[in-house]
Amino acid sequence: MIELCDHGGEDWRRLRAQFVTSSDATTLMGDNPYKTVAQLFHEKIHGISTPSNLHTERGIRMEPLIFEKFLAPLGAVRLGKVYISEEQPWLTASPDAFVRLTPGVFLYEIKCPADMSKFNSSRYYWQVYHQMMVMGSHRRGRILACDESLHDPQYYDIELIPEAEEAYKQISFDFFLSLARRELHPRFW
């Protein structure tokens, strides 16, 4: 992995339009009920940013608090950077945190749903999977979900599976080629 820039700045916004990000992963794999691959392609080609909403604003506000309460005591490192994969240089990611735990290093993605009883961790599976691929040596990921009460956090483990990894590499590469050619690959029609 190679560090590219700080998360959230103007460079980050520019890079999001040029590369396949972990936020794109769920859409590319057909698991996003709110966006199709064709819509994602249109947004990237035309430089359209997904507007913020109450859910993303809550996540941005709560993420540091969740980190401090549940991950900082474990010795977690908060990153705040955007990285590009050395093996798949069309993939970028900005994971929330790393924690060294037995049996190894975990990459963490923090989520703050409005209602924990309705939280669906599978919606974020490909996002974390993508981050693990970009970060290379980190073969284990974990979603930490906690509502605004900061009580009863839920943890969901994710591990890389070679067959799924290869399939995702090909799908993400086909999408990257679509962006470069400015024509959507037939796989996504």
Side-chain angles (χ1 to χ4, degrees):
M1 77 183 147
I2 301 167
E3 185 180 306
L4 290 177
C5 65
D6 289 337
H7 181 269
E10 195 53 45
D11 288 340
W12 171 75
R13 282 185 248 308
R14 185 178 43 74
L15 287 170
R16 288 181 64 79
Q18 298 172 351
F19 292 94
V20 180
T21 70
S22 53
S23 298
D24 302 332
T26 301
T27 301
L28 288 179
M29 297 308 287
D31 288 341
N32 186 345
Y34 308 108
K35 187 183 295 184
T36 66
V37 174
Q39 289 169 317
L40 176 63
F41 176 78
H42 178 80
E43 288 175 2
K44 286 190 175 277
I45 290 296
H46 297 289
I48 300 168
S49 298
T50 302
S52 182
N53 60 49
L54 290 174
H55 300 295
T56 57
E57 289 173 12
R58 180 182 52 258
I60 290 167
R61 180 174 42 81
M62 292 301 297
E63 187 177 297
L65 301 173
I66 293 169
F67 176 87
E68 287 302 321
K69 182 161 185 176
F70 300 108
L71 296 179
L74 300 174
V77 175
R78 191 136 191 240
L79 299 174
K81 302 284 183 186
V82 177
Y83 300 90
I84 189 166
S85 169
E86 291 182 61
E87 290 180 24
Q88 295 88 40
W90 59 92
L91 302 179
T92 63
S94 52
D96 292 333
F98 287 119
V99 178
R100 189 171 305 281
L101 299 169
T102 304
V105 176
F106 281 80
L107 175 149
Y108 272 82
E109 179 65 22
I110 300 169
K111 298 296 177 191
C112 183
D115 183 348
M116 282 298 294
S117 68
K118 296 179 181 174
F119 182 70
N120 180 358
S121 65
S122 65
R123 181 148 177 331
Y124 303 101
Y125 174 85
W126 289 110
Q127 180 181 7
V128 176
Y129 209 89
H130 177 107
Q131 291 173 354
M132 290 188 298
M133 288 175 61
V134 169
M135 303 312 282
S137 62
H138 304 281
R139 309 309 271 181
R140 298 175 65 95
R142 187 172 279 168
I143 298 168
L144 165 55
C146 187
D147 64 18
E148 291 179 281
S149 72
L150 294 178
H151 296 289
D152 195 30
Q154 302 295 309
Y155 298 88
Y156 306 89
D157 287 354
I158 297 170
E159 292 190 43
L160 287 177
I161 301 164
E163 298 80 19
E165 186 174 0
E166 288 307 312
Y168 183 75
K169 282 180 191 177
Q170 188 60 57
I171 289 168
S172 62
F173 183 69
D174 289 346
F175 186 75
F176 179 71
L177 284 180
S178 294
L179 294 175
R181 294 177 177 155
R182 301 184 72 77
E183 181 179 334
L184 193 57
H185 190 284
R187 148 193 307 270
F188 303 114
W189 295 346

